[in-house]
Amino acid sequence: FAMSRWRRLGIDILLRKAWERGTIMCGGSAGAICWFDGGHSDSLDPASVLNKKPNLSDREKAAWNYVRIAGLGIVPALCCPHHDQIQSNGVRRSADFDQMMLRNPGEIGICIDNNAAFVVEGDKWRTLSTGPWEHAQQGGTVQKKVYENGLVVSTQLECGEEPKPFSELLTPPDFTHLL
């Protein structure tokens, strides 16, 4: 719901201008989604909303769905943060995101696990991961998902490599709006 407020206040224009000047922009969760065309959000989760409803039963706490929300459109794809997680509704985000991709077959998904990052540098991208650590047997990954022949096809993006051009990752290959 931040996007509508940002647009109403003109913050979206200020953020885009900052991006165009080369300002470092970052964010996790909804803060990652905001840079994309849109994303897979848990903003209806009563366990995490700003105005929590007290005294909900376990059944009521689990009776919500992920939603697609709009972003700023700097990265022309759908973002799914916490791709490897299950929220309070008991639904695996990766499976629900696949259903979203099936409803939006012309789009590309960028799926970011916890403990991973998708980094945009001008018209290039790369991924980062914490690697294994005391609270995780393995580091998070970043995946690209696309709709092909009625299926969602996932490709793991390699971490730690030099930045690669967006033209190798997303379509259409014209990313001049990122410069």
Side-chain angles (χ1 to χ4, degrees), residues 67-134:
V67 293
R68 179 187 171 135
I69 60 170
L72 294 170
I74 292 173
V75 178
L78 290 177
C79 177
C80 181
H82 315 294
H83 184 255
D84 58 338
Q85 300 297 299
I86 298 173
Q87 302 297 124
S88 67
N89 62 1
V91 177
R92 182 171 293 281
R93 280 190 89 139
S94 57
D96 196 81
F97 186 74
D98 286 356
Q99 293 302 309
M100 182 181 285
M101 291 294 299
L102 291 172
R103 292 188 302 272
N104 299 278
E107 297 188 87
I108 292 174
I110 300 296
C111 306
I112 308 166
D113 289 351
N114 282 6
N115 304 312
F118 181 75
V119 179
V120 176
E121 299 173 16
D123 64 347
K124 298 184 186 301
W125 64 273
R126 64 188 173 112
T127 65
L128 302 173
S129 174
T130 60
W133 60 299
E134 69 176 299

Side-chain angles (χ1 to χ4, degrees), residues 11-112:
I11 294 171
D12 60 327
I13 295 167
L14 297 173
L15 289 171
R16 183 169 292 280
K17 286 180 180 179
W19 169 262
E20 290 167 356
R21 286 192 314 270
T23 302
I24 295 172
M25 317 289 270
C26 65
S29 195
I33 292 173
C34 76
W35 309 115
F36 288 77
D37 285 339
H40 186 266
S41 174
D42 62 359
S43 59
L44 297 181
D45 181 349
S48 64
V49 296
L50 183 59
N51 297 313
K52 296 180 182 179
K53 296 177 183 168
N55 306 320
L56 291 177
S57 69
D58 288 342
R59 184 175 180 198
E60 290 169 318
K61 289 177 188 173
W64 62 274
N65 295 309
Y66 296 106
V67 293
R68 179 187 171 135
I69 60 170
L72 294 170
I74 292 173
V75 178
L78 290 177
C79 177
C80 181
H82 315 294
H83 184 255
D84 58 338
Q85 300 297 299
I86 298 173
Q87 302 297 124
S88 67
N89 62 1
V91 177
R92 182 171 293 281
R93 280 190 89 139
S94 57
D96 196 81
F97 186 74
D98 286 356
Q99 293 302 309
M100 182 181 285
M101 291 294 299
L102 291 172
R103 292 188 302 272
N104 299 278
E107 297 188 87
I108 292 174
I110 300 296
C111 306
I112 308 166

Side-chain angles (χ1 to χ4, degrees), residues 103-170:
R103 292 188 302 272
N104 299 278
E107 297 188 87
I108 292 174
I110 300 296
C111 306
I112 308 166
D113 289 351
N114 282 6
N115 304 312
F118 181 75
V119 179
V120 176
E121 299 173 16
D123 64 347
K124 298 184 186 301
W125 64 273
R126 64 188 173 112
T127 65
L128 302 173
S129 174
T130 60
W133 60 299
E134 69 176 299
H135 299 291
Q137 293 180 356
Q138 65 182 35
T141 64
V142 179
Q143 300 173 38
K144 170 187 174 181
K145 289 191 174 185
V146 296
Y147 177 89
E148 289 181 7
N149 301 318
L151 300 171
V152 175
V153 178
S154 178
T155 305
Q156 184 171 325
L157 304 176
E158 296 300 318
C159 289
E161 296 183 3
E162 290 296 314
K164 296 179 183 177
F166 266 109
S167 60
E168 294 179 12
L169 180 66
L170 304 174

